Amino acid sequence: MEVAIERAVDAEQVRIWAGLQGFVSLAALIALALFFLLATPFSTPQSRWSWLGPVNDWLAVIGAVPWIVAMVLLARYVAAGPWMWALTVAACVGAAAIAIVTLFMLAGVAGLQLQAIVSLGATVVAFAWAAFAGSLAQDAGLVPGWIATLAVAMVVALVVGGILGVVGYATGAGSSVQATLYVVAGVVGGLAWLAFPVWWIGVASTLR
């Protein structure tokens, strides 16, 4: 009985932190989308909507805490083995790195390029972590199959988007083919990014 109660408490903690991570990430994505839509960041003079950029950045910093906690709790809940814990540590380091570099960028110490590189690397690790965590949770009967499928789809979309972007870069600047490939890469990659908070909210909503 005591073990069952402890297990239920553990599950509830995973749900809380997974849900918090999902909603904070979703808010950050909404701020980022509105930033590009309303602020037109690559134009001058700066728009009155430019504040949306720092809002996205601060949400990324704040979101590192629930993100790390949620990953650790979920790994513990699915009884992760050594290799999964190693991947969890790597994903946590990536989440912390995003927060730290973003703080440096907000302070004017680091540039956007460094933040983008760190974020991309950490995202690849985080998506891989989600795919393995989702698979373990499904195998243990803790989440429905679509959770694992969505995580794999995120990884595939991210890889496809990256490949299309590289191919587009290689086709030559200014060509219509390059522009098309960049647009498709952006859409596919954007869907992967959008799916990430949805995945966490799904975990929070379905975890048994």
Side-chain angles (χ1 to χ4, degrees):
M1 182 66 176
E2 184 177 342
V3 174
I5 294 175
E6 182 179 352
R7 186 71 173 168
V9 171
D10 289 345
E12 186 65 10
Q13 288 301 309
V14 176
R15 295 187 196 104
I16 291 169
W17 287 97
L20 183 57
Q21 152 60 9
F23 280 108
V24 171
S25 292
L26 186 60
L29 282 177
I30 291 172
L32 183 62
L34 290 175
F35 174 66
F36 281 104
L37 181 65
L38 300 175
T40 55
F42 302 110
S43 64
T44 54
Q46 289 297 302
S47 165
R48 65 189 181 95
W49 295 103
S50 297
W51 56 270
L52 286 164
V55 167
N56 165 258
D57 294 330
W58 278 112
L59 285 170
V61 173
I62 295 169
V65 174
W67 188 3
I68 291 171
V69 173
M71 287 191 290
V72 171
L73 289 178
L74 184 56
R76 178 173 176 266
Y77 191 69
V78 301
W83 63 270
M84 186 62 197
W85 275 115
L87 186 57
T88 301
V89 170
C92 290
V93 170
I98 291 176
I100 292 170
V101 172
T102 302
L103 275 175
F104 285 157
M105 186 183 70
L106 288 167
V109 178
L112 179 60
Q113 185 176 11
L114 176 61
Q115 196 247 12
I117 292 172
V118 171
S119 295
L120 180 59
T123 298
V124 171
V125 176
F127 279 26
W129 179 91
F132 284 112
S135 178
L136 287 175
Q138 181 191 11
D139 291 343
L142 301 175
V143 295
W146 69 266
I147 293 290
T149 302
L150 179 59
V152 173
M154 291 190 309
V155 175
V156 172
L158 189 67
V159 171
V160 170
I163 292 173
L164 290 174
V166 171
V167 173
Y169 180 79
T171 57
S175 68
S176 59
V177 174
Q178 183 185 63
T180 301
L181 287 171
Y182 278 170
V183 169
V184 176
V187 170
V188 173
L191 288 174
W193 279 86
L194 179 60
F196 189 58
V198 173
W199 185 83
W200 278 109
I201 294 171
V203 170
S205 303
T206 63
L207 187 73
R208 295 187 282 270

